[in-house]
């Protein structure tokens, strides 16, 4: 029996996780659910999944949830605030933590899960981008187990030898190939990028996802963040990580070996596959995903990414080269830019311009602690806000 905390339970990954656990009540017990500010969907999850604990970061929302939980006689303790998330991630009675909060907000509770030696199922890629070295060191030092949920990284994990120890050369690996769908604007004429609306950017051709990661997919910053994520997860230098566009999203990523073998993981684009894989690893369980019908899929095509169309991808490689401080600035500036774009206050094609400007003003060097990472994150957000204010003036 695995006992779970789900961080980001009300989100897309959180709900997919609960969909899988519900299929196997004999294997999984949901102990704690945590989210940001929406109390109504959290109440509904409490009714259905009966967790012992539920937490919301927003105090007012948590108070409303606490009241309703009491009125309905649910046996659930409601907590509030950021610290509560870290507490639920480190509960003694929990062995497995799904880290599916979006953005930098997920870093502290995800680190807390690693520090408590849990099995960490990592969807929150921003945490690794912000503090990859620190996070991997924490996992090692505290004997935590890290399993990737991001479909590409889960595919790479499945395509690497069992017990892979972070040394590409020792495993005989030549390259890691991350596939990218190219998002909704893969073939759109470049001159139309200026007028792209938030809803157009969020209409991903193959995946249903939260709005932030959907915009990241449209700019291909998502793939840039994933290159950095692969670097930390698999100990791979940037020169050994390549991106290939694959519009059908059936091949989820590949590993190329010295002898010329290329091993890939395939499947329908449905996050319940990597979630089920990581939940039950090393066993296999049903996920609810329909079987892949290769004949119906028809052609699988591949092409090189165009960094003129997707400058964010190149910005991410540059940040990886420049070091941890630049990666923090890249991520923070991107979060600010995407939030402003989604609010209707920034043009789609200005997202990379803002990010490049913020990263260029960043101090360089390694990052030793969570406090330092959070300080650099805050500094980059201030730069981004000033850039946006100058633009508006
Ligand atoms: P989502 O927007 O659907 O859900 C986000 C969750 O985070 C919600 O539960 C929300 O309450 C919570 N949250 C938001 N802000 C918060 C804050 N400040 N503090 C605490 N909680 C907060 O997003 P999603 O699509 O589920 O993505 C979640 C993470 O998983 C992201 O890091 C994303 O990059 C990653 N991911 C998602 C997919 C996918 O298919 N959706 C695939 C790969 C990786
Ligand atoms: Mg992905």
């Amino acid at each position: 029996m695995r006992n779970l905390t789900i961080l980001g339970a009300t989100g897309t990954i959180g709900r997919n996780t609960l969909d899988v656990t519900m299929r196997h009540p004999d294997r999984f017990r949901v102990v704690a659910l945590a989210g940001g500010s929406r109390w109504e969907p959290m109440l509904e999850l409490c009714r259905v999944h009966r967790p012992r604990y539920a937490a919301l970061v927003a105090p007012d929302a948590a108070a409303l949830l606490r009241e309703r939980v009491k009125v309905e006689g649910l046996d659930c303790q409601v907590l509030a605030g950021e610290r509560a998330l870290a507490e639920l991630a480190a509960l003694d009675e929990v062995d497995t933590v799904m880290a599916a909060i979006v953005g930098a907000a997920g870093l502290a509770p995800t680190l807390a899960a690693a520090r408590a030696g849990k099995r960490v199922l990592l969807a929150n890629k921003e945490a690794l981008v912000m503090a990859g070295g620190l996070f991997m060191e924490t996992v090692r030092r505290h004997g935590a187990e890290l399993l990737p949920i991001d479909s590409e990284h889960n595919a790479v994990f499945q395509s690497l030898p069992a017990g892979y120890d972070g040394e590409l050369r020792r495993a005989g690996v030549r390259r890691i190939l991350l596939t990218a769908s190219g998002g909704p604007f893969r073939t759109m004429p470049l001159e139309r990028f200026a007028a792209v609306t938030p809803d157009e950017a969020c209409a991903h051709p193959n995946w249903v996802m939260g709005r932030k990661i959907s915009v990241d997919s449209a700019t291909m910053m998502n793939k840039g963040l994933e290159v950095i994520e692969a670097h930390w997860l698999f100990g791979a230098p940037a020169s050994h990580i390549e991106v290939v566009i694959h519009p059908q999203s059936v091949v989820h990523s590949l590993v190329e070996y010295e002898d010329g073998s290329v091993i890939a993981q395939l499947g329908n684009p449905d996050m319940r596959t990597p979630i089920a894989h990581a939940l039950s690893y090393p066993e296999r369980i049903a996920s609810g995903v329909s079987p892949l019908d290769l004949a119906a899929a028809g052609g699988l095509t591949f092409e090189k990414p165009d960094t003129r169309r997707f400058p964010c991808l190149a910005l991410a490689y540059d940040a990886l080269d420049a070091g941890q401080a630049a990666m923090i600035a890249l991520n923070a500036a991107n979060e600010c830019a995407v939030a402003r774009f989604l609010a209707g206050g920034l043009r789609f094609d200005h997202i990379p311009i803002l990010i490049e400007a913020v990263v260029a003003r960043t101090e360089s060097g390694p990052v030793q602690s969570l406090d330092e990472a959070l300080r650099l994150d805050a500094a980059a957000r201030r730069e981004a806000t000033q850039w946006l204010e100058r633009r508006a003036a």
Side-chain angles (χ1 to χ4, degrees):
M1 191 66 141
R2 288 208 161 262
N3 294 296
L4 273 104
T5 289
I6 303 179
L7 305 170
T10 52
T12 316
I13 293 290
R15 288 170 183 286
N16 276 309
T17 305
L18 289 164
D19 181 282
V20 175
T21 60
M22 242 187 342
R23 294 166 191 273
H24 305 277
D26 53 322
R27 281 178 176 265
F28 304 111
R29 192 164 68 93
V30 176
V31 177
L33 299 176
S37 56
R38 292 165 60 225
W39 69 271
E40 281 160 308
M42 184 59 95
L43 175 64
E44 185 55 33
L45 294 182
C46 289
R47 286 185 189 126
V48 176
H49 300 283
R50 303 290 168 131
R52 281 284 301 117
Y53 306 90
L56 290 172
V57 171
D60 299 355
L64 285 166
L65 177 67
R66 189 174 297 120
E67 205 177 294
R68 294 297 311 168
V69 158
K70 199 169 156 204
V71 168
E72 298 190 17
L74 298 170
D75 178 22
C76 175
Q77 192 179 331
V78 176
L79 295 86
E82 274 169 36
R83 290 268 293 282
L85 270 50
E87 280 167 34
L88 295 186
L91 284 174
D92 282 341
E93 59 202 288
V94 160
D95 48 58
T96 304
V97 176
M98 169 56 80
I101 291 172
V102 60
L107 175 58
T110 305
L111 260 179
R115 219 177 287 122
K118 307 299 188 196
R119 171 180 280 199
V120 182
L121 315 184
L122 187 73
N124 179 209
K125 64 192 85 183
E126 295 92 344
L128 267 191
V129 173
M130 285 180 71
L134 184 69
F135 188 79
M136 297 306 286
E137 177 54 29
T138 306
V139 166
R140 263 190 299 275
R141 187 157 0 112
H142 296 275
E145 187 184 14
L146 184 57
L147 292 166
I149 294 297
D150 215 344
S151 57
E152 296 76 4
H153 306 73
N154 185 271
V156 170
F157 180 89
Q158 294 198 48
S159 304
L160 283 167
Y164 173 71
D165 64 358
E167 281 287 337
L168 288 186
R169 196 187 303 255
R170 214 166 22 232
V173 173
R174 198 187 281 156
R175 285 189 303 170
I176 288 173
L177 290 149
L178 300 179
T179 53
S181 69
F185 308 138
R186 184 175 58 90
T187 58
M188 180 191 265
L190 282 179
E191 60 272 18
R192 285 188 44 207
F193 272 39
V196 159
T197 67
D199 284 343
E200 285 170 331
C202 288
H204 196 278
N206 306 335
W207 299 93
V208 180
M209 307 182 286
R211 282 173 85 77
K212 191 265 177 181
I213 184 179
S214 295
V215 176
D216 286 348
S217 298
T219 61
M220 275 192 83
M221 179 55 91
N222 183 49
K223 210 51 53 180
L225 299 177
E226 289 183 359
V227 168
I228 297 174
E229 186 185 10
H231 163 74
W232 291 119
L233 280 175
F234 306 118
S239 56
H240 289 56
I241 308 169
E242 269 177 50
V243 172
V244 61
I245 303 253
H246 167 49
Q248 297 81 19
S249 298
V250 166
V251 178
H252 296 311
S253 278
L254 319 88
V255 175
E256 181 189 283
Y257 288 86
E258 291 295 350
D259 61 4
S261 299
V262 179
I263 300 191
Q265 185 256 2
L266 285 71
N268 281 321
D270 186 322
M271 289 306 292
R272 290 175 300 176
T273 292
I275 289 168
H277 169 264
L279 275 171
S280 65
Y281 181 79
E283 290 172 45
R284 300 277 181 172
I285 57 171
S287 63
V289 176
S290 52
L292 175 62
D293 182 343
L294 277 173
L300 300 181
T301 60
F302 301 90
E303 58 197 63
K304 259 181 143 31
D306 171 0
T307 47
R308 215 167 44 92
R309 175 177 288 274
F310 299 116
C312 285
L313 184 57
L315 289 174
Y317 269 104
D318 291 347
L320 178 50
D321 241 16
Q324 187 64 76
M327 296 180 235
I328 292 173
L330 176 91
N331 180 66
N334 181 55
E335 286 191 28
C336 292
V338 171
R340 190 60 71 99
F341 166 71
L342 283 171
L346 181 69
R347 261 168 55 179
F348 181 77
D349 58 332
H350 287 175
I351 293 174
I353 299 174
L354 163 55
I355 297 167
E356 189 170 13
V358 171
V359 175
R361 297 176 71 97
T362 301
E363 46 187 298
S364 61
V367 174
Q368 312 290 3
S369 68
L370 175 61
D371 282 350
E372 204 181 341
L374 295 176
R375 184 180 61 75
L376 289 166
D377 175 75
R381 283 169 201 269
R382 278 195 301 276
E383 284 287 346
T385 308
Q386 284 165 12
W387 188 95
L388 286 162
E389 279 164 6
R390 281 198 301 276
R391 266 292 152 118

